[in-house]
Amino acid sequence: MQRIFKWFTLNDASARVDWFAKAFDAVEFKGEDRLLFYYIKYCSDLGIPAAERYLDAFLRTESKKHIKTDNIKLNDMNNFNYDEPAALEEATRIINQVVVSRYQQCMEEDLEGRNFKVDMRTFMTERYKERMIEIMTESFSNLNTGQDPKEIGSEMTYQLQLIASNYDVNKLYKLDFLEGRNKDGDTADKDTMRHLFDTNLPCIDGDVGGTFSKQLMAMEGSPGTGKTRLAMIHFAYQCAVVAKKDVFINELELSIGEIRNMLVAHHIINLWNGKVKIPDSLINKDMLTPEQRQYVNAARIDLFESGKYGKFIIDDSKLYVEDLESTMYPLLRRNRNIGYWIIDYAGLAASRPVDKYAPRLHGFEIIQELYKRVKDIIKTADIGALIINQFSKDGVEAARMGKPIIAGHVEGGQIVERHADYEIAMTATEEQSLANTMMMSTVKVRAAKGFKNVPFNKDLSVSIFRQLKQMQVG
């Protein structure tokens, strides 16, 4: 604690204080260091640096309860019984004096030429080793007392998983975003959401007002209803072409070429005001006439190479939920113009435990973890996100019969309801599919009224979706 504590006392330390208070647990600290940790949490709650001028107030009002609740004792205080008021009072006086002395020792640290993240990484790595030795030593000692080896092994595995999480250096990736630095070096308001772009879908824009940072949208439907196309045109395309923001796409089903060609085919419609129509299926199969090829090349250059729009950053590699923080935070730090993140689709995400002690997730557990982690990342990085998902078997049947989609009709179950801010369902009966129409409804909303059964006409060959009438609120 001595090497890193001074970083939390500086005037610009509020983000570091918040991060440290959330990243660790009090049980990882002992004696006077545990009280210093509680002081950091106290300062985090008040939004102040852990400066010396506030320490006296903390010790007078907070230290006694922590000393008793956590049974905090120094090396020579084992005979103090905290159930006796006089003993607790005396112990508090002694420990508070030691805390003040410890604080002053911490303040003697010279931070010149040092970096907080470097110091924290060193602290976390060294502390991880120390805690591993403590856990393994305690487990070995318990074996010699005749305790059940299976119980000891199970407890040791749990404790090792816990400290691996507590001292995961990937936590440091959050710091740049928590300190509120955007691409221009300005300070972002961590308490507000930023409007990013309108989807150009009247039912959504008229209900929730478009897309916002920190907002997780979810979109579900049966296979073949056009979920990917709608997401690419009304979210990715709107973000890049209209809002001029970069969009990052985890494409787990189609190839990068298929997504780019989908975007190009739609861009041709817009560039030539609907007078030229070239289905992306023809581009994929390279079945173009010379004239069509000229249009495609012109649209591709304009969309991807002209510099007039935001970038489409497409990754079609496997997505492992355990790696999200370690991959997304560096990506977002390097690409500050990314405003939106699309995952297509949740059911194709996979699990890869970070170490041999961590369990491998399966099925719905992967989807649940995906929504939780994505929500946490976009709140920290101040961007928006859309996760595409499939209906479950019951959801597919309900959509085919024209019945309402309810919570639990998607892969992953009701966890979507907990973490998504705005959930959209695309449905179509067999008759509607043959007529190239579909319905859109909200399943779950925040800060909006929602809508039911808004009809759309669609031309999937060039990814066009046209709302046919005003929405029915409900």
Side-chain angles (χ1 to χ4, degrees):
M1 180 69 88
Q2 179 165 331
R3 180 169 177 80
I4 60 173
F5 187 85
K6 189 174 180 180
W7 287 107
F8 307 116
T9 69
L10 307 180
N11 289 332
D12 63 349
S14 59
R16 293 191 290 270
V17 167
D18 285 343
W19 173 83
F20 192 80
K22 293 179 175 66
F24 297 97
D25 192 284
V27 297
E28 295 299 318
F29 303 91
K30 297 180 179 179
E32 62 269 28
D33 279 355
R34 183 173 293 192
L35 266 186
L36 285 178
F37 175 76
Y38 278 128
Y39 178 49
I40 292 173
K41 288 184 71 71
Y42 168 86
C43 293
S44 174
D45 291 340
L46 296 177
I48 57 176
E52 187 171 9
R53 58 187 177 275
Y54 308 125
L55 180 62
D56 180 64
F58 166 77
L59 294 176
R60 283 188 289 105
T61 60
E62 306 285 332
S63 68
K64 185 184 294 185
K65 70 176 182 182
H66 291 305
I67 289 170
K68 179 168 183 176
T69 301
D70 290 22
N71 196 33
I72 299 174
K73 294 182 178 180
L74 306 181
N75 292 333
D76 56 350
M77 297 179 64
N78 291 331
N79 60 333
F80 279 74
N81 181 1
Y82 289 168
D83 290 331
E84 298 176 2
L88 177 61
E89 195 68 34
E90 178 63 11
T92 300
R93 184 187 66 81
I94 295 171
I95 293 174
N96 283 357
Q97 289 179 346
V98 173
V99 168
V100 171
S101 175
R102 178 72 161 159
Y103 185 99
Q104 292 170 347
Q105 289 176 0
C106 293
M107 293 302 292
E108 293 174 1
E109 284 286 324
D110 183 8
L111 302 182
E112 183 69 28
R114 286 164 53 181
N115 178 276
F116 174 70
K117 285 188 287 187
V118 173
D119 281 354
M120 275 305 311
R121 190 181 182 98
T122 303
F123 164 79
M124 294 169 75
T125 302
E126 292 178 350
R127 190 73 184 111
Y128 184 26
K129 294 178 182 177
E130 292 171 1
R131 291 288 286 121
M132 282 186 67
I133 293 172
E134 290 174 6
I135 291 167
M136 296 173 75
T137 301
E138 183 179 355
S139 299
F140 181 76
S141 176
N142 290 337
L143 280 173
N144 292 330
T145 65
Q147 295 185 36
D148 186 342
K150 289 184 178 179
E151 290 186 5
I152 294 173
S154 177
E155 177 63 20
M156 182 177 71
T157 300
Y158 168 74
Q159 291 294 337
L160 289 174
Q161 290 175 357
L162 190 62
I163 64 167
S165 175
N166 284 340
Y167 294 102
D168 182 0
V169 294
N170 287 330
K171 292 180 178 181
L172 290 168
Y173 289 129
K174 285 188 175 185
L175 272 173
D176 284 342
F177 301 99
L178 291 177
E179 289 176 339
R181 293 198 297 270
N182 63 20
K183 66 181 178 65
D184 299 317
D186 298 327
T187 299
D189 188 339
K190 65 180 181 179
D191 297 324
T192 61
M193 302 167 68
R194 296 179 296 113
H195 180 266
L196 299 174
F197 56 87
D198 289 340
T199 66
N200 202 26
L201 296 167
C203 56
I204 294 177
D205 296 335
D207 185 43
V208 73
T211 64
F212 293 83
S213 65
K214 302 183 178 73
Q215 177 193 62
L216 175 57
M217 284 193 168
M219 181 169 65
E220 298 106 21
S222 302
T225 51
K227 300 182 299 298
T228 297
R229 291 179 177 277
L230 188 140
M232 292 306 125
I233 302 311
H234 290 279
F235 289 85
Y237 188 88
Q238 287 291 114
C239 178
V241 175
V242 178
K244 307 295 191 294
K245 288 282 187 180
D246 296 350
V247 56
F248 178 67
I249 303 166
N250 280 120
E251 182 49 56
L252 309 181
E253 185 173 28
L254 303 179
S255 69
I256 293 176
E258 287 175 298
I259 295 298
R260 285 169 61 91
N261 291 339
M262 194 181 293
L263 293 164
V264 167
H266 188 81
H267 197 49
I268 289 171
I269 296 290
N270 289 339
L271 284 180
W272 285 277
N273 299 316
K275 296 177 181 178
V276 180
K277 176 181 175 181
I278 304 175
D280 56 77
S281 60
L282 296 181
I283 308 175
N284 289 332
K285 299 172 184 175
D286 196 21
M287 298 172 61
L288 302 172
T289 67
E291 183 183 9
Q292 288 175 327
R293 195 178 303 280
Q294 289 181 347
Y295 283 115
V296 169
N297 290 338
R300 181 175 282 123
I301 292 171
D302 183 72
L303 186 58
F304 300 128
E305 301 175 25
S306 69
K308 295 191 295 185
Y309 315 115
K311 294 183 293 184
F312 297 91
I313 306 169
I314 309 171
D315 182 359
D316 64 351
S317 60
K318 200 74 172 176
L319 186 155
Y320 297 99
V321 291
E322 292 89 350
D323 296 343
L324 278 176
E325 289 83 0
S326 61
T327 56
M328 282 305 297
Y329 283 125
L331 172 71
L332 294 170
R333 188 170 61 239
R334 293 192 305 268
N335 299 274
R336 292 291 185 169
N337 196 46
I338 290 177
Y340 213 70
W341 177 17
I342 298 173
I343 298 175
D344 179 29
Y345 69 97
L348 294 178
S351 174
R352 181 170 61 187
V354 293
D355 58 56
K356 63 182 179 180
Y357 299 109
R360 182 178 296 276
L361 304 177
H362 299 280
F364 74 92
E365 296 175 324
I366 297 173
I367 297 175
Q368 291 178 351
E369 193 67 19
L370 177 70
Y371 280 86
K372 288 162 57 179
R373 291 184 183 231
V374 169
K375 179 63 175 178
D376 183 58
I377 290 170
I378 66 172
K379 285 167 59 180
T380 300
D382 195 36
I383 64 171
L386 170 70
I387 297 179
I388 303 171
N389 203 355
Q390 300 270 35
F391 287 151
S392 63
K393 181 179 178 181
D394 290 341
V396 170
E397 183 63 17
R400 189 179 70 83
M401 299 296 291
K403 296 179 179 179
I405 299 300
I406 61 175
H409 272 174
V410 298
E411 292 184 5
Q414 295 188 6
I415 193 69
V416 175
E417 303 291 314
R418 299 179 199 167
H419 296 283
D421 300 299
Y422 200 80
E423 186 181 356
I424 311 156
M426 297 168 58
T427 62
T429 63
E430 292 180 4
E431 294 78 9
Q432 289 168 340
S433 294
L434 291 172
N436 290 319
T437 60
M438 71 173 197
M439 296 291 186
M440 186 180 293
S441 304
T442 52
V443 181
K444 180 263 181 80
V445 299
R446 285 195 182 116
K449 294 181 179 179
F451 54 86
K452 299 294 181 185
N453 296 324
V454 175
F456 278 81
N457 194 340
K458 58 185 181 180
D459 181 351
L460 297 185
S461 68
V462 288
S463 306
I464 291 177
F465 299 82
R466 291 190 180 94
Q467 184 173 321
L468 297 179
K469 66 178 183 180
Q470 293 299 313
M471 62 186 177
Q472 173 187 345
V473 176

